[in-house]
Amino acid sequence: MKLLLIYAHPEPRSLNGSLRDFAIAHLQAAGHEVKVSDLYDMRWKALINPDDAPGYDDENPFNPAIESQRVFAAGTQPTDIEEEQAKLRWADAVIFQFPLWWFSMPAILKGWVERVYAYGFAYGVGEHSESHWGDRYGEGSMAGKRAMLVVTLGGWEPHYSGRGVNGALDDLLFPIQHGVLFYPGFTVMPPFPIYKTSKMDAARFEQLCTAYAARLDNLFSDQPLPFRRQNAGDYEIPALTLKPHLAPGRHDLGIHICEGMTPEG
């Protein structure tokens, strides 16, 4: 299979760097093809601005969505964006590895998403009607591909539990897993979190690698997160609200997960 690793950490000698190297070696030893986008090493341009829109008429206000749509359709995107889009098309699965900084992904990775997820490529695709509101949330250009987050955290696991002071990890990652991944069609695997990163010793790292290897080995067989597909009948369209008989009385993020179902079903 073809695996793409999107990696966002500035220090190659860090725990993240060691996990990146382990994943590459393990996947290649298993016979997979691997490509890596090491964003810091690439000196990835995180800011989306008029430089991303060749031919932009600066007499008009800069609208990132409109300009993204224009240059994508015209085939005039900057080379770095086109290369990352080609990697996504190539991959059967994508691993996003990053430290959780200030309750989200590092800015450089957010900038990768904002620039690579062009209008017409990752969003703004499909029919929009009274019964089908675009190809998104389970449909879209990434449909058929799997994605998984590998996230390092300094805090303890209970800090990110349902009653933990930082909030439940599933809730913190919801904008990434449901939005950045499921929205353009990825089948989203449960995340692989690594807690208490400053308390890592050789024995714990060995255990960590064993667990990570198992997740990598089962990436295409484990059950994904069962997010509800937008156009499969659970949501009122065009209101895009969950139908009243589903999770009645609830308004938490968990209502968008259908237990016992996969995104494909």
Side-chain angles (χ1 to χ4, degrees), residues 30 66 70 104 139 150 171 181 227 240:
I66 291 175
R70 179 181 63 81
S104 187
E139 300 173 329
V150 176
D171 289 347
L181 301 183
F227 289 128
L240 301 182

Side-chain angles (χ1 to χ4, degrees), residues 20-31:
R20 174 204 58 195
D21 294 345
F22 172 81
I24 294 169
H26 184 82
L27 289 168
Q28 289 177 336

Side-chain angles (χ1 to χ4, degrees), residues 44-124:
W44 178 260
K45 172 183 173 290
L47 297 178
I48 186 169
N49 58 25
D51 291 341
D52 293 324
Y56 160 65
D57 180 3
D58 61 9
E59 292 295 320
N60 299 312
F62 177 66
N63 184 310
I66 291 175
E67 293 302 319
S68 172
Q69 181 186 36
R70 179 181 63 81
V71 297
F72 176 77
T76 58
Q77 297 176 110
T79 301
D80 60 344
I81 293 176
E82 289 186 338
E83 289 176 347
E84 296 305 295
Q85 290 172 349
K87 291 177 187 175
L88 287 172
R89 291 189 184 99
W90 168 86
D92 297 309
V94 184
I95 297 169
F96 293 81
Q97 183 190 334
F98 58 92
L100 194 73
W101 286 348
W102 287 107
F103 299 89
S104 187
M105 61 178 74
I108 197 169
L109 179 53
K110 182 60 160 55
W112 180 91
V113 173
E114 290 179 357
R115 296 183 64 228
V116 174
Y117 276 28
Y119 190 118
F121 176 74
Y123 72 105

Side-chain angles (χ1 to χ4, degrees), residues 137-138 170 173-174 176-179 181-182 186-189 224-230 234-235 253 256-258 261-264:
Y137 292 116
D170 286 343
L173 296 181
F174 185 86
I176 304 173
Q177 296 189 136
H178 188 258
L181 301 183
F182 191 57
F186 279 112
T187 296
V188 186
M189 307 307 295
L225 296 174
F227 289 128
R228 299 180 188 273
R229 292 175 56 185
Q230 175 188 277
D234 286 354
Y235 295 91
L253 296 177
H256 302 293
I257 294 177
C258 184
M261 291 180 60
T262 67
E264 294 84 1

